[in-house]
Each structure stands twice: as C-alpha cells, then as structure tokens.
C-alpha cells in the first residue's frame, strides 16, 4: 500500500513505526524539521517538509497514486482539508483526526464521505470511552472489548495470593479445567521483556498478565487473580479538558456521582452549565487541601486528565495515598507507561496511542477488524475475520503452523465468544483474536488472507 501520513507527532510517528514492520510505501509530511529528521533517522520512510494542504506538495508525494491518506496533525482544520483535497486528487481512502466529537455524533446527518473523508477519529472520544471501560472493570489495569463484549481482554498484576502463581500454564489448566479464559501475554515484574505464554510458561508474583475471557469469565478472573471487584460509584475528575468533559458527561449518563475540578474560573462555569448532573468545582487540583475538602477520601475513583502529564501523575499518587480504589492518569509521553506499575498508579492512558491503534486497523490486510497495542508491552492484539479460502479455515488450532511468538486468544462464532483450545476447528466467518509480537504480523496476516 502507498500511504501518506500528515503529522509527524506521536500519532503519526507511531503509525509510521507500526507500518515499518511491513515495508509499506510511506510518506510522512510535516512542517517541523526536527520531527521529520527524527522519523527519517529511525524509520525506513520518505519524509517531506511543508504544508500538508499544499496541492503541489501532495502531488510531489504522489497523492494521485496513494491508497490511503491519514491526517493526524494537531490541527483539525488541516486534517479535514487535507482529506478533502486528497480525495479530489485521486487518493482511494482518507482518515482524519478530529477533536470536535460533534462531528462523529452527527456522522449520519453530515455525510463526511461525500466531502471526501472516509473515517473520523477523535482521540478525546476514544480516551473517554477507555476510561469508562476501565471503571466498569475496576480491578483490572487494562481492558478492551471485542464484538460488544463477547470476548474481553483484561490486564492484571498478579498478587501473591493468586492460586496459579508458581504454576505453569499447563498445570493451571489441569487444576482449573472449567475456566473460561486464556493468558495471551505477560511481562515479568521489573523487566521490559514480553512473553507470549506457552504450556511451560510459569506464572510469577508481580507478573503483568493479559487474559482473553468471555463475559462469565470476568468474575472467575477476579477470584483467581486475587483481586476484588470494587463497586465504583463516586468519581472525581481533575481537569475540564475535552477528555474530562466527555468522561464526566458519559459517566453522569451511566448514573455515576461525578465531581469535576477545573482551575479556570470561566471554563468551570461553562462546564457547570453543560453538566447539570455533575458537581463542578473551580479550584487548583494540585492543592491537596482542596482535594481533602472535597472529600477525596470518599471517592471510589480518581481520574486526572489535565493537559499536564506530571500534574496528572502526582495527583493520582495523592489519591492513591488516600486508598482510592482506582486511579487513572492521562499522559502525553508514552515513555511514562513503563512507570505506571512501579509508581503505584492503576492505569495510564495516552489518547494519541489510542488514536494510532484505532487508525491502524483501517490499514491492515487479511480482514483485520480490530487492533490494539498493549500498553508498555511489545505485543499486539488483532481480530481477523476468516474467509472461505483462508489457510486457517477448516483447521484445528493445534494443526496450524502458528509462529512461536503468537497465540489465539479466542473466537467469536455466530455472535458468541468462545475460548478456543487446541482441538477447536476454525471455520469461515469466525472472528479470531490473535496476540503476537509485532514482527510476526505479516506471517499471521498471510494465514488469514
């Protein structure tokens, strides 16, 4: 595929990095010389300096022969204009990153495809959705749903009391034969090495383990990982950003009790008008006395989504010292993901990473319908639709020549999630969830083509 990416920030760079595993023909456009130089030095791609809405620059990038143009600059207007121009100039497909979630809400009313924009991606909306999902699965520090929850991925740090600590995957399967989940990835405590579990992989205390489960398996996981299912009702949000506003609005609709703290007085009054079911407080959330006055210790969850990563991390640490059940911090720097478990914050989220993962699934071959990159792990989860002529169709899992650093986490068949083991036969139309190291993606894709 010939792909043009406008915007060499974290979203654009992350996308280009993911695509570099597959030798795609990538052109990265940006006005910032330093960002382009960094990408040029680290990735095997073409870079062009200039305005992404310049017709002459787009022609230089061979937009007329491109399969996909992705606008992920910090300017919503630039991204929309770029996609409109690219489609007029002959590009086959376009994706625009936006910040105004009204556009997505009114997609049926305003037919953006008629304007030349095939997909709209809002990092803020994705972050708000991720936060609500994390609160619904409160004991876990990472979560993702496939096919409206028919298969669920959860990440958890194993406590010493977890029954399968000290046992191999095979031993755990024999002791708990009725379990409705499978381990798909783990990271040892204090290391950066990602393990795709096999039968002889040993579970250890402190492991960050990712499981695929079905709906009824979630309660089993609570018991067997030593975690307690915490009831989340009272939520404090720090920061009236777009993510903060959307999170508060969505949580109020779901009957959560929400307190939102916003430093800017004018903004706080506007938010109070727009969020009648939330208590909006004008104050500096970095002030510990203010947090205590507003009954921080009576909160079940604390969510920090200001524009400053350090403020979000520090305020979550304050909340954790008050024994808050769930803390979530929004961070801009993806390097911070390595710190989340060691410093004690339950979950760090990065809206740019969420956006890049969401955009990436539109690029995949082999009928990929969902993709996500596991936070701080060198592993990706992909969901494939099995075609009639796919190599995997009609084969049992144990007979597949699957790569060593990859495994099948589950299958959705006829709308029902199944934890598929070795003897399970894959059929046409199945939606198969696979976890693997990034370098194995091309080989796995070929099996589903």
């Amino acid at each position: 595929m010939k792909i043009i990416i406008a915007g060499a920030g974290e979203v654009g760079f992350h996308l280009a990095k993911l695509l570099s595993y597959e030798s795609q023909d990538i052109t990265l456009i940006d006005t910032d010389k330093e960002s382009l130089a960094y990408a040029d030095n680290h990735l095997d791609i073409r870079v062009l300096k200039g305005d992404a809405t310049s017709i002459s620059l787009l022609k230089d990038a061979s937009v007329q022969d491109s399969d996909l143009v992705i606008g992920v600059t910090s300017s919503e207007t630039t991204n929309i204009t770029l996609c409109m121009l690219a489609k007029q100039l002959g590009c086959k497909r376009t994706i625009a990153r936006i910040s105004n979630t009204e556009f997505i809400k009114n997609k049926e009313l305003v037919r953006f495809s008629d304007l030349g924009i095939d997909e709209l991606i809002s990092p803020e909306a994705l972050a708000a959705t991720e936060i609500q999902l994390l609160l619904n699965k409160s004991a876990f520090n990472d979560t993702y749903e496939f096919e409206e929850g028919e298969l669920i991925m959860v990440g958890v740090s194993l406590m010493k009391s977890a029954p399968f600590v000290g046992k191999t995957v095979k031993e755990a399967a024999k002791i708990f034969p009725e379990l409705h989940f499978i381990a798909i990835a783990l990271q040892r405590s204090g290391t950066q090495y990602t393990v795709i579990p096999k039968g002889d992989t040993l579970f250890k205390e402190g492991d960050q383990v990712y499981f695929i489960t079905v709906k009824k398996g979630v309660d089993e996981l609570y018991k067997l990982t030593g975690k307690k299912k915490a009831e989340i009702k009272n939520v404090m949000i720090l920061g009236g950003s777009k993510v903060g506003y959307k999170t508060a609005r969505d949580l109020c609709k779901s009957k959560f009790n929400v307190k939102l703290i916003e430093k800017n007085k004018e903004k706080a009054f506007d938010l109070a008008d727009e969020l009648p079911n939330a208590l909006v407080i004008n104050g500096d959330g970095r002030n510990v006395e203010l947090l205590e006055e507003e009954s921080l210790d009576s909160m079940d969850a604390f969510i920090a989504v200001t524009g400053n990563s350090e403020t979000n991390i520090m305020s979550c640490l304050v909340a954790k010292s008050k024994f808050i059940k769930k803390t979530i911090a929004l961070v801009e720097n993806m390097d911070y993901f390595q710190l989340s478990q060691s410093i004690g914050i339950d979950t760090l989220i990065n809206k740019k990473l969420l956006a890049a993962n969401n955009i990436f699934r539109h690029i995949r071959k082999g009928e990929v319908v969902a993709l996500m990159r596991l936070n701080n792990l060198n592993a990706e989860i992909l969901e494939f639709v099995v075609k009639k002529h796919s190599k995997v169709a009609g084969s049992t899992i144990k007979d597949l020549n699957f790569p060593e650093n990859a495994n099948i986490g589950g299958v959705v068949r006829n709308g029902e999630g199944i934890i598929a083991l070795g003897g399970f036969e894959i059929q046409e139309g199945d939606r198969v969830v696979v976890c693997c190291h990034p370098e194995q993606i091309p080989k796995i894709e070929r099996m589903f083509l």
Side-chain angles (χ1 to χ4, degrees):
M1 285 179 79
K2 180 171 177 52
I3 301 167
I4 298 172
I5 302 172
E10 285 187 337
V11 180
F13 180 81
H14 183 64
L15 277 171
K17 184 180 176 183
L18 291 175
L19 290 165
S20 67
Y21 290 116
E22 313 170 21
S23 303
Q24 302 276 19
D25 182 359
I26 306 163
T27 301
L28 185 63
I29 300 172
D30 202 289
T31 54
D32 186 74
K33 189 177 179 180
E34 286 185 13
S35 297
L36 285 179
Y38 183 82
D40 194 25
N41 291 333
H42 289 78
L43 306 172
D44 183 19
I45 60 173
R46 182 190 180 199
V47 298
L48 284 175
K49 183 178 180 297
D51 183 356
T53 60
S54 163
I55 293 175
S56 59
L57 188 75
L58 289 174
K59 285 182 177 177
D60 188 23
S62 302
V63 68
Q64 66 277 6
D65 301 319
S66 62
D67 297 294
L68 179 65
V69 167
I70 307 168
V72 287
T73 72
S74 56
S75 168
E76 177 179 77
T77 307
T78 297
N79 298 335
I80 290 172
T81 306
L82 163 68
C83 289
M84 292 168 68
L85 289 172
K87 209 58 178 288
Q88 291 286 322
L89 292 169
C91 172
K92 295 184 180 71
R93 190 169 175 78
T94 63
I95 300 174
R97 170 191 173 183
I98 59 162
S99 55
N100 187 348
T101 55
E102 268 194 329
F103 289 157
I104 292 177
K105 196 164 62 175
N106 294 294
K107 266 199 299 190
E108 303 303 320
L109 188 64
V110 181
R111 292 191 296 275
F112 287 94
S113 57
D114 291 351
L115 301 173
I117 306 166
D118 295 305
E119 295 288 342
L120 294 170
I121 303 291
S122 167
E124 290 79 15
L126 292 170
T129 302
E130 177 81 356
I131 289 167
Q132 185 157 10
L133 199 56
L134 286 163
L135 292 182
N136 290 335
K137 306 283 187 300
S138 57
F140 304 120
N141 51 36
D142 207 346
T143 184
Y144 187 85
E145 291 187 352
F146 297 90
E147 302 306 311
E148 299 181 352
E150 286 303 322
L151 285 177
I152 303 164
M153 185 219 73
V154 295
V156 63
S157 183
L158 292 185
M159 299 173 68
K160 191 176 182 179
S161 58
F164 45 75
V165 165
K167 297 178 176 62
T168 65
V169 171
K170 196 178 286 184
E171 288 169 345
K174 287 180 181 177
I175 298 168
F176 309 108
E178 300 303 315
L179 296 188
H180 301 93
F181 58 79
I182 188 168
I184 56 163
L186 68 84
Q187 185 179 65
R188 297 291 184 208
S189 178
T191 75
Q192 297 300 312
Y193 184 65
T194 302
V195 178
I196 304 297
K198 300 297 178 184
D200 58 353
T201 302
L202 188 71
F203 291 112
K204 297 181 180 179
E205 180 188 354
D207 282 351
Q208 173 68 17
V209 187
Y210 289 83
F211 296 94
I212 293 282
T213 183
V214 291
K215 289 177 179 176
K216 59 184 175 183
V218 174
D219 286 337
E220 292 173 353
L221 273 172
Y222 276 120
K223 296 172 189 172
L224 290 168
T225 54
K227 299 287 182 179
K228 292 182 179 178
K229 187 174 182 178
E231 181 68 29
I232 303 289
K233 198 66 187 171
N234 301 315
V235 180
M236 182 176 284
I237 300 172
L238 178 62
S241 61
K242 288 176 181 175
V243 177
Y245 163 72
K246 192 170 190 317
T247 301
R249 188 192 66 191
D250 293 348
L251 291 179
C252 285
K253 284 180 183 176
S254 300
K255 307 301 181 186
F256 285 84
N257 299 322
V258 178
K259 279 187 181 181
L260 189 151
I261 300 175
E262 169 53 44
K263 187 179 178 182
N264 183 285
K265 189 174 183 180
E266 189 177 339
K267 196 173 188 180
F269 276 103
D270 289 341
L271 286 166
D273 290 337
E274 294 177 41
L275 299 167
N277 296 319
L279 175 60
V280 179
I281 299 146
N282 174 222
D284 190 342
R286 294 172 297 182
N287 185 333
V288 178
E289 286 185 7
L290 173 69
L291 295 177
E292 289 176 344
E293 282 174 16
E294 296 302 332
S295 307
L296 173 63
D297 55 359
S298 69
M299 294 293 128
D300 300 312
F302 183 86
I303 303 164
V305 288
T306 73
N308 186 294
S309 300
E310 290 75 20
T311 296
N312 295 339
I313 289 171
M314 293 307 296
S315 58
C316 277
L317 290 175
V318 171
K320 208 63 186 172
S321 72
K322 303 293 183 184
F323 305 104
I324 304 298
K325 297 170 190 172
K326 187 77 173 176
T327 54
I328 301 171
L330 181 72
V331 296
E332 290 295 306
N333 190 337
M334 285 193 268
D335 293 336
Y336 284 143
F337 279 123
Q338 299 175 10
L339 303 173
S340 60
Q341 300 304 312
S342 60
I343 62 178
I345 296 173
D346 293 315
T347 308
L348 298 181
I349 60 172
N350 180 291
K351 61 186 181 183
K352 294 173 182 177
L353 183 62
L354 291 170
N357 285 340
N358 196 280
I359 292 168
F360 195 47
R361 69 184 175 87
H362 296 289
I363 303 166
R364 310 301 313 179
K365 303 186 293 291
E367 292 297 313
V368 174
V369 291
L371 175 142
M372 73 167 297
R373 178 100 182 201
L374 295 177
N375 289 347
N376 195 32
L377 268 73
N378 183 37
E380 293 185 27
I381 301 179
L382 304 94
E383 181 185 357
F384 294 92
V385 175
V386 179
K387 298 178 180 177
K388 185 178 181 179
H389 302 294
S390 298
K391 290 180 183 177
V392 298
S395 299
T396 58
I397 291 174
K398 63 183 178 183
D399 293 331
L400 293 173
N401 185 25
F402 231 56
E404 180 68 22
N405 291 319
N407 60 21
I408 291 177
V411 175
V412 177
R413 178 177 291 171
N414 300 323
E416 182 184 352
I418 302 164
I419 300 303
L421 302 177
F424 184 86
E425 184 180 298
I426 296 172
Q427 298 176 4
E428 178 191 354
D430 284 351
R431 304 172 88 90
V432 182
V433 175
V434 177
C435 182
C436 66
H437 286 172
E439 59 270 21
Q440 301 293 344
I441 291 175
K443 185 176 180 180
I444 293 167
E445 280 188 323
R446 287 193 289 273
M447 299 177 77
F448 286 89
L449 283 174

